Amino acid sequence: MSPVQATAPGKIILFGEHAVVYSRPAIAAPVGNVSAKATLQPLESGHPFRVVASDLGQDYTLSEAAPDNPLAYTVHSALAYFGYTAPPAATLQVTSTIPLGRGLGSGAAISTAIVRVLGQFLDRSLSAAEISALVYEVEKLYHGTPSGIDNTVIAFNQPVYFIKKQPIQRMMVRQPLTLVIADTGIVAPTHQVVGDLRQRWQANPTRYEQYFDEIQDIVEQARHIIEGGGDEGGIILGQLMNHNQQILEEMGISSPELAQLVTAARRAGALGAKLSGAGWGGNMIALTTPDEAQNIAAALQAAGSKGIIVTKVKAADQD
Ligand code: PMV
């Protein structure tokens, strides 16, 4: 019996993180340079369902996994969705090149790959919306109150303009965007950053609602440019990124390490730069022309980045 395999990409948030939790829009795109992979190896009947995720230090039979183990929870949820009460005899192997806990959607990508591989194995075709909904339930384990942007962009594998609890709006990217993604190397659990911000929002709702409105305005302008193109598009988009970063800094979402990388990218000639994802650590992104990408990557490396990805958000008509 031959194994079945499925993958899912990483993701970046281009604009609007955190405000998206408060029902403002955000823009995110998949990052195909990194991915999670799930492989299901069928076994002779009678064997238990085993989960092996060496990168996460996990190896167990499904029946002995803790109920809040995200991998096991994903398997149980998908099987229940398919109407199975008992798991098949198989070994599920999960690997990922997406750094964990750095805002690149590793959790959602792993869950998406698992749901996809189980669907293939059990001969059930699933729409992206069904996969996204299943993964959203798992995201709640990681994040508490996730907006749903990670599961959406990863399951649909498309740039999205996203508003919580609303149907997905795919973005028609006019001009490809070249981005350098740089890792502070610091793991900051999303639920902590989101929880901390929630407390500050509760203490001063007027101020934080104002920040969220400003971010919403940036997201709307960015959408217009990303979908409309124009000669000065990259320059304006870069400025919007810088403005978004400034508000995130005022909101207490950045960190010295993120700020250092953002400054290094701008000094090296990036069109704009900001943190991406939950903040306090994780990754930042810099928008650049294709020609400058390597210079900016080198500057970020010199400024202490622990990992660099140069990626492109492709135009809608590109493969
Ligand atoms: O999963 P991360 O680290 O990319 O963060 C998600 C973005 C937040 O807006 C901070 C949270 C959310 O649920 O949208």
Side-chain angles (χ1 to χ4, degrees), residues 11 13 16-28 105 108-109 112 128-129 131-140 142-158 160-169 190 194:
K11 74 98 203 4
I13 296 180
E17 49 275 275
H18 286 288
V20 70
V21 176
Y22 298 82
S23 302
R24 292 349 185 254
I27 295 171
T112 300
I131 296 171
S132 179
L134 277 165
V135 173
Y136 180 66
E137 293 306 312
V138 187
E139 285 288 282
K140 288 183 187 166
Y142 289 107
H143 288 186
T145 54
S147 64
I149 193 167
D150 282 22
N151 48 283
T152 303
V153 65
I154 288 170
F156 281 84
N157 198 11
Q158 285 225 334
V160 296
Y161 170 91
F162 176 85
I163 302 175
K164 196 166 114 175
K165 299 200 171 109
Q166 288 194 14
I168 174 186
Q169 298 184 47
T190 300
V194 170

Side-chain angles (χ1 to χ4, degrees), residues 62-74 76 141:
L62 190 63
S63 56
E64 65 191 20
D68 62 350
N69 176 303
L71 270 54
Y73 187 79
T74 309
H76 284 303
L141 285 181

Side-chain angles (χ1 to χ4, degrees), residues 3-318:
V4 186
Q5 211 165 76
T7 60
K11 74 98 203 4
I12 43 168
I13 296 180
L14 292 165
F15 294 96
E17 49 275 275
H18 286 288
V20 70
V21 176
Y22 298 82
S23 302
R24 292 349 185 254
I27 295 171
V31 177
N33 314 49
V34 284
S35 60
K37 185 164 82 180
T39 309
L40 204 67
Q41 173 67 59
L43 301 171
E44 297 289 330
S45 66
H47 281 81
F49 189 101
R50 191 167 147 225
V51 180
V52 181
S54 308
D55 302 344
L56 305 172
Q58 297 188 22
D59 184 344
Y60 46 79
T61 57
L62 190 63
S63 56
E64 65 191 20
D68 62 350
N69 176 303
L71 270 54
Y73 187 79
T74 309
V75 174
H76 284 303
S77 311
L79 290 175
Y81 188 74
F82 299 139
Y84 280 72
T85 46
T91 296
L92 171 69
Q93 198 171 0
V94 178
T95 57
S96 177
T97 57
I98 309 171
L100 294 171
R102 320 288 231 291
L104 294 182
S106 59
I110 287 171
S111 303
T112 300
I114 292 175
V115 171
R116 280 189 181 143
V117 85
L118 284 167
Q120 281 179 36
F121 181 70
L122 299 170
D123 222 7
R124 298 288 295 266
S125 77
L126 284 173
S127 69
E130 284 174 293
I131 296 171
S132 179
L134 277 165
V135 173
Y136 180 66
E137 293 306 312
V138 187
E139 285 288 282
K140 288 183 187 166
L141 285 181
Y142 289 107
H143 288 186
T145 54
S147 64
I149 193 167
D150 282 22
N151 48 283
T152 303
V153 65
I154 288 170
F156 281 84
N157 198 11
Q158 285 225 334
V160 296
Y161 170 91
F162 176 85
I163 302 175
K164 196 166 114 175
K165 299 200 171 109
Q166 288 194 14
I168 174 186
Q169 298 184 47
R170 294 176 175 82
M171 289 196 61
M172 302 310 280
V173 177
R174 182 66 73 88
Q175 308 267 0
L177 306 173
T178 305
L179 293 158
V180 184
I181 307 172
D183 193 346
T184 60
I186 296 166
V187 176
T190 300
H191 67 95
Q192 271 177 26
V193 192
V194 170
D196 187 82
L197 176 63
R198 185 168 295 279
Q199 282 181 8
R200 279 177 283 126
W201 170 73
Q202 278 162 348
N204 196 342
T206 314
R207 177 148 148 230
Y208 282 86
E209 286 295 324
Q210 222 162 26
Y211 286 139
F212 300 150
D213 285 343
E214 280 179 56
I215 291 176
Q216 168 162 12
D217 199 44
I218 290 170
V219 172
E220 300 299 0
Q221 290 182 57
R223 178 190 202 182
H224 187 72
I225 289 163
I226 292 170
E227 297 196 317
D231 288 348
E232 301 288 289
I235 292 169
I236 302 170
L237 218 48
Q239 288 166 354
L240 290 170
M241 272 189 178
N242 291 343
H243 189 191
N244 197 160
Q245 171 66 15
Q246 183 200 325
I247 299 168
L248 289 165
E249 281 174 16
E250 286 173 29
M251 284 165 54
I253 301 299
S254 194
S255 71
E257 295 81 1
L258 280 165
Q260 188 173 326
L261 294 181
V262 164
T263 304
R266 289 180 191 155
R267 284 205 183 125
L271 298 165
K274 63 181 277 293
L275 68 86
S276 179
W280 284 6
N283 277 274
M284 55 74 70
I285 53 174
L287 180 68
T288 172
T289 59
D291 289 350
E292 287 297 317
Q294 288 312 323
N295 285 343
I296 289 160
L300 286 164
Q301 188 88 46
S305 169
K306 302 292 184 288
I308 307 259
I309 298 168
V310 178
T311 192
K312 249 189 193 356
V313 180
K314 289 179 198 149
D317 55 4
Q318 283 182 306

